[in-house]
Amino acid sequence: MKKFVDNPAGVPAPPPGRYSHVSRVEIADTVTLTLAGQCAIGDDLSVVAPGDIVGQTDRVFEIIGILLAAHGATFADITSTRTYLTDMDDRAAYAETRAKYLPADALPPSTVVEVSRLFLPDVVVEVEVVAVRELDRA
């Protein structure tokens, strides 16, 4: 088994010494990627689309796509999602936006919970994912 953490280029870096964006575990012929919760943060570390569930969900899944691609994975490799919303009334808009990214014929198990707040004001959604893919043996 091989395990390491990563902060790929192309997405805002986490605060130094606090966490990593990706944990990668290689066992036999598979790679399991566990992504830290992602929020709608821009390259300048500001909140993207403050208070807007659709705009933030798009940004979150854009970041998730970059993190997955950095490890040779795609949205089709996602095996589970966990979503935190500051308002459960946003669930339908979140689900509709998320559907643009996840394959309709292989939707992963999903948990959605409401929380009183997230780590920055105006952040209304945070998404964690786990993905599994075959290990490239070139």
Side-chain angles (χ1 to χ4, degrees):
M1 176 176 83
K2 291 179 11 183
K3 178 182 129 179
F4 65 93
V5 294
D6 188 28
N7 292 306
V11 299
R18 294 209 184 148
Y19 65 92
S20 298
H21 278 307
V22 181
S23 170
R24 177 183 171 125
V25 178
E26 299 175 5
I27 300 175
D29 292 331
T30 63
V31 174
T32 300
L33 305 170
T34 304
L35 276 57
Q38 299 300 315
C39 294
I41 304 299
D43 295 334
D44 63 355
L45 303 180
S46 66
V47 176
V48 171
D52 174 16
I53 188 64
V54 172
Q56 287 194 17
T57 301
D58 276 326
R59 176 62 178 157
V60 166
F61 278 91
E62 175 185 305
I63 292 170
I64 289 170
I66 293 167
L67 295 171
L68 292 171
H71 291 272
T74 69
F75 289 110
D77 297 313
I78 292 176
T79 59
S80 69
T81 66
R82 182 173 296 127
T83 303
Y84 304 93
L85 300 174
T86 58
D87 185 345
M88 195 59 82
D89 290 341
D90 287 338
R91 191 178 66 201
Y94 164 75
E96 184 176 323
T97 307
R98 182 185 86 144
K100 296 188 304 189
Y101 299 92
L102 300 180
D105 61 340
L107 290 173
S110 175
T111 298
V112 179
V113 296
E114 182 178 81
V115 296
S116 61
R117 66 182 182 166
L118 292 164
F119 85 109
L120 286 174
D122 297 321
V123 171
V124 297
V125 60
E126 181 171 340
V127 180
E128 302 174 5
V129 303
V130 175
V132 178
R133 68 168 185 81
E134 290 185 26
L135 183 61
D136 297 327
R137 299 263 189 215

